[in-house]
Structure formats: C-alpha cells, structure tokens
Amino acid sequence: KGQAIIGGAFMGKKERIDKRIKRKRRKIVFIILLLLFGIFLVVSFKTTFFNISNIEVIGNKKISNDKVIKASGNPMRENIFKVSSGEIEKNLKKHPYIKEAVVKRRLPNKLIIEIEERNEKFIISHGGSNVYLDVDGIVLKIDSEPNNKLTILKGANIDKPDVGYKITSENEEFVDNILGFIDISNKTNLLNEINTIDVSNGDNIIMELKDGVLVDFGPLNNVEYKLRYIKEILNDLNVKDIPCRYIYLNKGENPIVVTDNEREDSNEEQ
C-alpha cells in the first residue's frame, strides 16, 4: 500500500513536469513563429522583393493592355500586399468598356487582371452625334462618325448621354422597352441584320434590314414573338431564294410578306 502511494505521488509529479515542459515548448514555438512573422513583415514591406513587376491582362480584345493597366490605377512597383484588389476592380469598372473585373495576386510580384468587356451593339443618333451603346444601354462613347456595321436607332427621345452611364429618358418605360428589344434582337442574332430602327412613332416601329427589307413592326409588344417570327420568315425566304421587299406585322394577327413581284401573302406559314 505504501509503495502504491509513493508510485502515485511519483506519477503525479511526472505529469506536472511534463505539462511544464509542454507549456515551455508551446511558448518557444510561439516566440519562433512570432519572430518569423516579424521577419516576413520586414521582408514584405521594407524590401522590393514583393513589389509588383508584372501585370497580366486577360479577356481584353478591344482595350489594349496599357489602357487596362492605366484604368486600374497602375499599381506597378507597388508592394503586392499593400494594394487593394477591391479598389483596383472598382477603378477598372469605371472604364466604360469594362463590364466586370477580377484581380488576383500571384506571389511574389505578379498581378492578374481578368476583365469582361462591353461591346458596341447599336448607335443612337442624338444632337448631331452618334452615341455608341452596349445591350445594357451603357454609353461607351460619343462620336461624330457613325459605324455602318452597327444598328442605328432613330427618333429616340433620350436625355443628354453621359459616357459610362446608362441612357435615361423622361419616359423610363420607353427606355426599358427599347433595351429589351435590342437584347432580344441580339440573342436571336437578328440585330446584326438590322440597319436602322425608327422609333419616332411608338405605334409602329419601322425597321430597315441591311438587305433593304422594310419591316413594319407595330408597337413594342410581344417583342420576342415578333422578332423570332421575323427571323423565321427571313430564313425561310432565303432557303426558297425568294426576294422580299416588306414584312408587315401591324396589319392584323398574321404577318404579311411582300415579295419583289408585289405579291402579298397573308397568313404566310413559315
């Protein structure tokens, strides 16, 4: 019994010693880590080892690398840990042609900028100038020269356009309807075939296609249905090699197609 008591006391003392040793080891490890962290901070912020020396730009087709880097705030030669990726992304999205931006760090000294560009999709004639816009209605640039490859929107009553911002109008519903029309035209691959869209008469939107076909679209209702119907009509006429002059969508429920020989086909089944 006495030996058991002595043995138990010995084991208890050993456990206390082991605990002290473990605590000391933890303190030593903590101090070492703290020192390493301090050395890392010194190396990171007091030397040029982590200064940005390479910026890679991904996703740009229209905007040059130099312009993207300039729009980012040009963090070249700045410490990679000091620059804010969120701030750089915010700066980039101020550029009218940049829709989205993601910035990534690659240690020790490289930044990767990945962007999604906005694309010119149509033009609005306004005050003698040509306002270039994307499908979201963001003003990309204002120029005196038109681009004949893009669809021109005529008769649109909009407020003074501002580069980098969405077009506005006293009639907000009108803007929403027009942008919806442009978006669906783009998705159905019809926008590239439209030369002009005249919206001066809201009861009858008139489209002129690049091959000279005129379309009386009617008002901006059932837009997706009408645009897809036009696309089907054009595809069918092209397959049958039938030249077309007019397409009327404002003369009743069924479209009227007028070919070069002046024949009107009501209820044309495409």
Side-chain angles (χ1 to χ4, degrees):
K1 186 175 180 180
Q3 289 179 345
I5 293 172
I6 294 171
F10 176 76
M11 290 300 294
K13 185 176 180 180
K14 186 176 183 301
E15 288 177 0
R16 287 195 297 272
I17 292 172
D18 288 343
K19 285 181 180 179
R20 283 197 216 95
I21 292 172
K22 288 180 180 178
R23 282 198 295 269
K24 285 182 180 180
R25 285 177 179 171
R26 283 198 292 267
K27 286 180 181 179
I28 293 170
V29 170
F30 176 76
I31 291 170
I32 292 172
L33 290 175
L34 196 61
L35 287 172
L36 290 174
F37 181 68
I39 294 169
F40 175 77
L41 288 178
V42 171
V43 173
S44 299
F45 295 101
K46 299 298 182 180
T47 71
T48 60
F49 183 71
F50 288 101
N51 285 7
I52 298 168
S53 60
N54 184 14
I55 300 178
E56 181 182 357
V57 181
I58 300 173
N60 57 320
K61 295 180 180 178
K62 187 176 183 65
I63 318 171
S64 68
N65 285 2
D66 289 342
K67 288 184 177 179
V68 173
I69 293 171
K70 184 178 179 180
S72 73
N74 194 5
M76 191 71 79
R77 291 184 293 280
E78 292 187 27
N79 188 284
I80 198 168
F81 294 107
K82 289 184 178 180
V83 297
S84 167
S85 57
E87 193 65 29
I88 294 174
E89 290 168 1
K90 189 186 297 184
N91 289 338
L92 286 165
K93 285 190 280 190
K94 290 178 182 177
H95 192 290
Y97 279 89
I98 298 178
K99 184 174 184 178
E100 296 293 341
V102 176
V103 177
K104 301 175 182 177
R105 293 182 177 89
R106 287 292 181 270
L107 297 179
N109 53 17
K110 181 178 180 180
L111 274 189
I112 298 176
I113 297 176
E114 187 170 357
I115 67 169
E116 178 187 348
E117 290 181 324
R118 294 187 182 275
N119 296 307
E120 299 168 359
K121 286 297 182 179
F122 70 110
I123 296 171
I124 291 182
S125 301
H126 180 80
S129 297
N130 297 283
V131 183
Y132 287 69
L133 304 104
D134 74 340
V135 290
D136 298 321
I138 302 297
V139 179
L140 303 181
K141 70 176 181 178
I142 301 174
D143 204 330
S144 58
E145 295 297 326
N147 183 341
N148 294 328
K149 294 180 180 180
L150 296 178
T151 301
I152 298 176
L153 187 70
K154 298 180 177 180
N157 184 21
I158 62 170
D159 299 330
K160 184 179 178 180
D162 193 2
V163 174
Y165 294 88
K166 185 177 178 179
I167 54 169
T168 59
S169 171
E170 291 182 1
N171 187 346
E172 294 183 6
E173 184 180 2
F174 166 79
V175 172
D176 291 339
N177 288 340
I178 286 297
L179 294 180
F181 181 97
I182 295 294
D183 182 49
I184 297 169
S185 299
N186 184 55
K187 289 176 179 176
T188 55
N189 296 319
L190 185 61
L191 189 61
N192 292 333
E193 300 180 40
I194 303 174
N195 188 32
T196 62
I197 305 170
D198 190 339
V199 297
S200 53
N201 178 5
D203 293 327
N204 185 32
I205 308 303
I206 299 175
M207 300 161 52
E208 180 188 358
L209 306 186
K210 293 189 184 299
D211 58 5
V213 178
L214 292 175
V215 179
D216 280 13
F217 192 82
L220 288 174
N221 59 6
N222 301 320
V223 171
E224 184 169 3
Y225 170 78
K226 289 180 180 179
L227 288 172
R228 292 189 183 279
Y229 211 152
I230 291 170
K231 188 70 176 177
E232 290 178 11
I233 290 172
L234 293 173
N235 288 341
D236 190 58
L237 291 173
N238 184 56
V239 169
K240 296 176 180 177
D241 196 24
I242 299 175
C244 178
R245 297 178 60 200
Y246 298 99
I247 298 175
Y248 295 100
L249 298 178
N250 63 337
K251 297 183 181 297
E253 294 183 1
N254 300 305
I256 296 175
V257 178
V258 180
T259 58
D260 267 354
N261 59 9
E262 301 291 338
R263 180 174 57 86
E264 295 192 2
D265 294 320
S266 183
N267 196 21
E268 183 82 2
E269 292 294 330
Q270 305 301 328

